[in-house]
Amino acid sequence: MARDTTDQTPLSSVSEMTAYLAAGNKPKEKFRIGTEHEKFVFFRADNSPVPYFGEASISALLKGLQKKSGWDPIMDGDNIIGLGEPSGMGAISIEPGGQFELSGAPLETIHQTCKESNNHLATVREIAEPMGIRFLGVGGSPKWTLAETPRMPKSRYDIMTRYMPKVGTKGLDMMYRTCTIQVNLDFSSEADMRRKMRVSMKLQSLATALFASSPFTEGKPNGLSSWRGEIWKDTDNRRGGLLDFTFRDDFGFEDYVKWALDVPMYFVVRDGRYHDCTHVTFRQFMDGALKGEIADWQPTMGDWTNHLSTLFPDVRLKRFLEMRGADGGPWRRICALPAFWVGLLYDDEALAAADELTKDWNLQEVNALRDAVPAQGLKASIKGHGLLDIARDVVGISRLGLKNRKRLNGDGQDETVFLSPLEEVLAKKGTLADDLLMLYNGRWNQSVEPIFEEYQY
């Protein structure tokens, strides 16, 4: 997230928090696609990570991009930590280990999304090249230890770094050594949100399998297709994973609010200063738990929106839905991930088919699939059906949805062209993680160093 919110509107009730989420409802013709992608930043001379400070650094990249783009700098104290497009149409931010993220503008088609990503990558390469810096598109840091990974001077990350080891064994790996591609999608009503969230929660592990690209840790195979997926199994299970209430037929915005109220907070921001609030839940905050600890202890709408951004379920609800299951990957996958989910969720026929396909999957079965996928990938199964066969059906449904949308580019192509990376996975029955392991054991002579050259942006 590029910028934390400072909305000072007083907050006093569950109904206000529920209304905030419900305000995301919009007519179908106003549905948009917001794509986010992260990449590792490295020096091409020796494949080492890029620090925050220095002439060739993360801060220098941000300053160079700010000068070229004219976007507004986002500051944390004296340090630049991101950029915001002045009218709110996109942002650039840095993750805890220096991973560089584009949060794209809300766009109408995947064609526009792909063009946006291509333009962004071209621009950052132009700034980075004179510094000897390049970018890597995979889901997990393939070489660097946690100690070797730089830390960004961002206040919320300082709080998270102290807190993560208290609630799980892999939280620091999640923060510092993973990258993702995500897409943010709209809903028209509570019922529409319910259906989309239920379907996407059940299918998120399929996305993890299809986009798996993190088979290396600290220079060696880790025995997994998606190390990133494995990390999320024990990061902070109180605020992450599957949400049991989303498997009910009657859940709504208020159920998400009630769940979020009982998740510990990370911080509140007052006068630009971050106060560590990991010792209280948002419900306790609402009940006055910070009175006497901070001067302005009353909750605000800004506190609520910031809290929502610190929740990590497989599908996150804000005023839109965030698909959070996929590893990062090469450029074509930045386009394939939103295409996959738009095809499934933005066409009524496709959404109905996906809902029908998964209607009998219960919480225990989906959770077992989620546990199996990081190691087994497309070899995992649910209800006696192999995930590879299910993937063929689901990608077919997504193709149907994209075809029905009839969003054409200048050459008359619809959005189904962006599913080709996934169709290649299905045709060869292997993921990018499988490809990487084959290269490691073959042409790369059991070294991960070539990944930086062959999978750079």
Side-chain angles (χ1 to χ4, degrees), residues 121-335:
L121 292 172
T123 301
V124 297
R125 282 196 299 265
E126 181 181 341
I127 303 300
E129 188 65 26
M131 302 183 207
I133 291 172
R134 292 185 178 170
F135 304 89
L136 177 66
V138 291
S141 176
K143 178 182 176 181
W144 313 321
T145 66
L146 189 59
E148 290 170 335
T149 304
R151 298 192 175 189
M152 302 297 104
K154 195 169 176 178
S155 297
R156 67 183 279 160
Y157 295 159
D158 292 340
I159 292 169
M160 292 172 66
T161 298
R162 293 192 297 268
Y163 181 69
M164 283 295 186
K166 301 176 183 178
V167 292
T169 61
K170 298 180 173 69
L172 297 183
D173 287 325
M174 179 278 290
M175 291 175 62
Y176 289 95
R177 299 204 285 178
T178 65
C179 281
T180 185
I181 306 166
Q182 297 181 185
V183 64
N184 305 323
L185 299 175
D186 291 314
F187 44 80
S188 61
S189 65
E190 186 169 62
D192 188 43
M193 178 279 296
R194 178 186 302 123
R195 194 180 202 188
K196 287 174 176 173
M197 192 166 193
R198 181 174 63 231
V199 167
S200 56
M201 190 72 77
K202 291 178 178 180
L203 290 175
Q204 210 61 222
S205 291
L206 174 60
T208 302
L210 284 169
F211 286 84
S213 65
S214 47
F216 304 123
T217 307
E218 297 179 12
K220 296 181 179 179
N222 51 35
L224 302 163
S225 290
S226 176
W227 178 42
R228 179 183 175 277
E230 182 73 15
I231 284 169
W232 275 110
K233 288 163 60 177
D234 192 22
T235 289
D236 182 350
N237 291 330
R238 193 167 175 181
R239 73 177 67 238
L242 300 175
L243 302 180
D244 56 358
F245 59 82
T246 64
F247 286 71
R248 299 199 323 255
D249 291 333
D250 62 346
F251 86 90
F253 295 118
E254 187 172 330
D255 294 288
Y256 194 89
V257 169
K258 289 180 177 178
W259 168 73
L261 279 169
D262 291 317
V263 175
M265 300 171 64
Y266 279 162
F267 59 83
V268 296
V269 183
R270 297 293 185 268
D271 297 324
R273 179 187 170 195
Y274 285 70
H275 298 265
D276 187 329
C277 297
T278 53
H279 59 295
V280 299
T281 66
F282 205 92
R283 188 184 301 276
Q284 292 167 332
F285 178 36
M286 292 288 290
D287 290 338
L290 296 183
K291 187 176 183 179
E293 289 191 33
I294 60 174
D296 298 324
W297 58 268
Q298 297 91 340
T300 69
M301 189 59 72
D303 297 327
W304 177 234
T305 55
N306 287 336
H307 182 60
L308 291 174
S309 77
T310 71
L311 308 177
F312 303 134
D314 289 3
V315 182
R316 180 159 62 188
L317 175 62
K318 295 182 181 176
R319 286 179 166 172
F320 45 82
L321 291 170
E322 297 182 2
M323 307 296 118
R324 297 174 48 80
D327 282 9
W331 173 75
R332 293 172 69 222
R333 288 167 178 249
I334 299 173
C335 309

Side-chain angles (χ1 to χ4, degrees), residues 55-110:
E55 291 185 7
S57 63
I58 299 295
S59 59
L61 278 174
L62 287 170
K63 291 172 184 176
L65 284 168
Q66 195 279 325
K67 184 176 180 180
K68 183 174 181 61
S69 68
W71 286 18
D72 298 330
I74 300 171
M75 307 298 293
D76 189 329
D78 295 330
N79 298 314
I80 185 170
I81 58 167
L83 301 171
E85 200 279 332
S87 64
M89 299 292 282
I92 292 170
S93 59
I94 51 174
E95 292 298 300
Q99 305 97 313
F100 223 70
E101 178 178 5
L102 172 69
S103 297
L107 302 171
E108 294 187 44
T109 72
I110 310 298

